[in-house]
Amino acid sequence: MSIEKLARVRDEDLRGRATGPGARALLEAVTRETPRRSAGLVRRRFVGGLAVAVALATAAVLTPVVLPGEPARATSYANSAISLERRGDWWVGVVKDPYADVARFNEAFRALGVRMTLNLVPVSPSGVGEVFRISMAPPPGTNDGFFSESLADGGLELRFPVGFPGDGWVMIGRRARAGEQYQNAASADAEGEVLEGVKVDEVTVGDLRPELARRGVTAGFQLVVPQGDGHTLRALDPAQVGDGWWVWDAQVRSADSVTLLVTRDRLPGNPLYEGGKKRR
């Protein structure tokens, strides 16, 4: 069917006839149809649909954010690095990726309105899960502080009380990657360490050298200087240290290096440990 046949008024009917039958027919058709109501409905539906679309788009990008002084809106939060939840009077966190960026850990605390900053540092095997530095106080009237332990899968579990005053900051040991220097000063003869089972106190440097070589461990040296009830340590050039120097302890530096704490002469007692070094 031709489109021309559908038209009720043709151009030739109107040409030169502003008030002819064709023009009057067109005027009547226009005035009979009142689109105001339908246009209003379309407009309102469009605005309403736009509002829903904006709301959905906004919801898709929002993450839980708690402003200072605003109560927490949730009791649990998780991302790829850590999960954190409230259990009674305790916050319990499980670090799933100890090597994640620090910001990912602290994201969980901020999302729940917890004023805590967590930092994980590389340590020797015996220091994994140990709290090395902390700046937080337990809630008034309690002695409950911060607890951490190493998990079998390499993660860490953290526990600290709800309602501690002020801002908290804590440094916890994680397993070191290959080549990373340890941030702790554990004894090298402790369980799991590079000189486990070797006597590293009240022996000479010469006594230790064969075992160090057998285990592929290099050694640096620090001089122990007794001072009243304590002591200080000073760095030594390895070339200064002879086989006859005395070792009072060995501290791990990495998976294949240690620091020997030494004096030139034998002392009447171990200057590092009152009553002598205890076996672990």
Side-chain angles (χ1 to χ4, degrees), residues 6-279:
L6 296 177
R8 288 179 291 177
V9 180
R10 295 180 171 79
D11 290 344
E12 58 267 25
D13 295 333
L14 300 177
R15 187 177 298 116
R17 301 176 61 187
T19 58
R24 287 194 298 273
L26 178 60
L27 178 61
E28 291 176 2
V30 171
T31 55
R32 278 200 307 272
E33 297 177 9
T34 55
R36 291 189 183 89
R37 179 176 177 81
S38 59
L41 288 174
V42 171
R43 183 166 56 252
R44 284 193 292 273
R45 287 170 184 164
F46 175 77
V47 172
L50 179 62
V52 172
V54 171
L56 290 174
T58 303
V61 299
L62 286 179
T63 55
V65 175
V66 180
L67 299 176
E70 183 179 289
R73 294 180 296 214
T75 58
S76 64
Y77 186 92
N79 57 28
S80 60
I82 188 173
S83 62
L84 182 66
E85 66 175 328
R86 179 170 177 170
R87 298 180 189 172
D89 294 331
W90 291 87
W91 288 108
V92 179
V94 175
V95 174
K96 297 179 285 186
D97 180 7
Y99 308 103
D101 189 278
V102 170
R104 298 291 285 153
F105 304 132
N106 298 325
E107 172 187 300
F109 297 125
R110 303 297 176 264
L112 299 182
V114 180
R115 295 159 62 185
M116 173 67 70
T117 298
L118 171 65
N119 190 20
L120 300 183
V121 295
V123 296
S124 66
S126 64
V128 175
E130 185 175 340
V131 177
F132 290 99
R133 297 180 185 174
I134 189 168
S135 174
M136 65 173 286
T142 74
N143 292 318
D144 294 327
F146 196 108
F147 303 91
S148 173
E149 63 178 330
S150 176
L151 301 178
D153 60 1
L156 299 168
E157 183 175 272
L158 324 172
R159 286 168 46 92
F160 55 96
V162 172
F164 61 88
D167 295 317
W169 182 88
V170 64
M171 178 184 288
I172 300 176
R174 63 157 172 81
R175 296 183 189 278
R177 293 188 179 101
E180 283 188 314
Q181 293 289 306
Y182 298 153
Q183 298 298 304
N184 62 330
S187 288
D189 62 341
E191 182 178 355
E193 302 295 356
V194 293
L195 295 180
E196 179 181 357
V198 178
K199 182 174 174 59
V200 296
D201 60 306
E202 299 186 54
V203 295
T204 66
V205 171
D207 292 333
L208 280 179
R209 288 197 191 277
E211 189 63 27
L212 292 174
R214 188 180 75 80
R215 299 191 181 208
V217 177
T218 60
F221 300 90
Q222 287 187 325
L223 177 66
V224 181
V225 182
Q227 290 185 338
D229 294 334
H231 66 275
T232 60
L233 300 175
R234 297 178 187 170
L236 281 172
D237 185 333
Q240 296 178 259
V241 181
D243 284 351
W245 286 51
W246 286 86
V247 180
W248 302 101
D249 200 5
Q251 294 180 341
V252 291
R253 292 190 304 183
S254 69
D256 59 0
S257 65
V258 299
T259 297
L260 301 183
L261 308 184
V262 300
T263 59
R264 180 187 296 273
D265 302 314
R266 182 177 184 123
L267 302 178
N270 192 319
L272 304 176
Y273 301 95
E274 184 178 355
K277 179 178 170 64
K278 303 295 189 295
R279 304 267 70 83

